[in-house]
Amino acid sequence: MNLAPRPVDLVGDAASPSLLTLDRVSISYPTRDGILTAVEDVSFALSAGERLVLLGPSGCGKSTLLRAVGGFLKPSSGEIRMDGRPIGAPGPERMTVFQEFDQLLPWRTVLGNVRYALERGKSLPRREAETVARGWLERVGLSKFVDTFPHTLSGGMKQRVAIARAFALEPALLLMDEPFAALDALTRRQMQDELLKLCEETGST
Ligand SMILES: Nc1ncnc2c1ncn2[C@@H]1O[C@H](COP(=O)(O)OP(=O)(O)OP(=O)(O)O)[C@@H](O)[C@H]1O
Ligand SMILES: [Mg+2]
């Protein structure tokens, strides 16, 4: 991926300080055939409440860039800042919904997955975490499945759980890596519409 560095007016100002800033970020992978540069010299800034879509062909570096913003990968050069501070490890203020279906804890129920994230990420007591988790699972249409285990769910349902979990934590930044890519066209369309509604309602970035 090679986005030209943007002019300064896109890097935020005092009136609307940027929530997320990417400053000349490049990301490389060591491979058997040498260094592979997956992301090259990407700069942009995002204010709170803004939504940005990275669009490009397979292999152009979208997931790589998201993984770096999520804190799962370190840029080989440049800097990623949130609220002006360089980001480090993954944290609950940056929740990621991954491209792959298997991102739930298989030994926990649907409710358990969301509840556990709230206990860990927001330090909510168990009771409260459970109430909030139920609320979000209802919003994504999974009330009937709270007590089932992830392996009994369809791909689309698993992604709904992951989305409920991500929204429940009310992260400052919600990162979604083609969460519906592997769904059939009809389900994908429906889930995209639902997701847009959730984004509007929560004002998520
Ligand atoms: N762990 C890794 N080790 C080595 N190379 C990698 C690794 N992960 C990704 N790559 C390479 O980095 C490049 C970008 O991959 P990435 O997964 O970011 O693309 P993408 O835009 O998300 O593609 P897709 O639309 O298929 O999901 C590709 O050439 C890929 O082969
Ligand atoms: Mg990808």
Side-chain angles (χ1 to χ4, degrees):
M1 181 183 287
N2 189 347
L3 298 180
R6 296 295 190 79
V8 182
D9 64 331
L10 276 173
V11 187
D13 54 44
S16 65
S18 66
L19 176 72
L20 177 74
T21 309
L22 273 80
D23 192 2
R24 309 207 63 168
V25 171
S26 297
I27 307 165
S28 306
Y29 293 108
T31 69
R32 263 185 304 181
D33 306 318
I35 301 287
L36 185 146
T37 301
V39 171
E40 190 176 5
D41 203 11
V42 173
S43 299
F44 63 81
L46 204 63
S47 303
E50 269 191 303
R51 254 160 263 148
L52 177 75
V53 176
L54 296 171
L55 195 64
S58 179
C60 78
K62 305 179 295 291
S63 295
T64 301
L65 194 60
L66 273 183
R67 280 200 285 271
V69 175
F72 299 100
L73 260 184
K74 245 184 130 47
S76 27
S77 67
E79 196 170 62
I80 304 177
R81 293 187 292 272
M82 213 160 133
D83 285 325
R85 286 180 297 275
I87 62 155
E93 78 288 357
R94 276 166 287 129
M95 282 300 290
T96 307
V97 180
F98 292 97
Q99 204 165 2
E100 302 80 19
F101 287 161
D102 291 315
Q103 53 197 296
L104 304 173
L105 302 172
W107 60 89
R108 286 183 187 269
T109 61
V110 164
L111 181 63
N113 265 276
V114 182
R115 196 199 67 216
Y116 180 69
L118 284 161
E119 286 174 12
R120 292 292 305 268
K122 294 198 94 179
S123 307
L124 292 188
R126 190 183 166 120
R127 268 284 171 75
E128 198 182 334
E130 180 157 332
T131 307
V132 176
R134 281 187 190 279
W136 276 101
L137 287 165
E138 190 183 334
R139 285 181 87 165
V140 298
L142 288 177
S143 288
K144 285 196 189 128
F145 300 91
V146 288
D147 294 325
T148 58
F149 284 89
H151 74 272
T152 65
L153 301 178
S154 71
M157 290 159 87
K158 286 184 207 174
Q159 290 304 71
R160 278 171 206 253
V161 180
I163 286 165
R165 180 173 63 180
F167 273 101
L169 275 127
E170 299 179 301
L173 192 61
L174 191 53
L175 305 162
M176 286 187 275
D177 190 358
E178 302 188 65
F180 311 133
L183 300 180
D184 63 273
L186 271 177
T187 312
R188 180 162 62 230
R189 182 64 203 270
Q190 187 195 347
M191 301 224 356
Q192 280 166 343
D193 288 345
E194 288 173 13
L195 181 63
L196 277 179
K197 236 185 272 165
L198 281 183
C199 289
E200 295 293 341
E201 286 167 16
T202 56
S204 65
T205 310

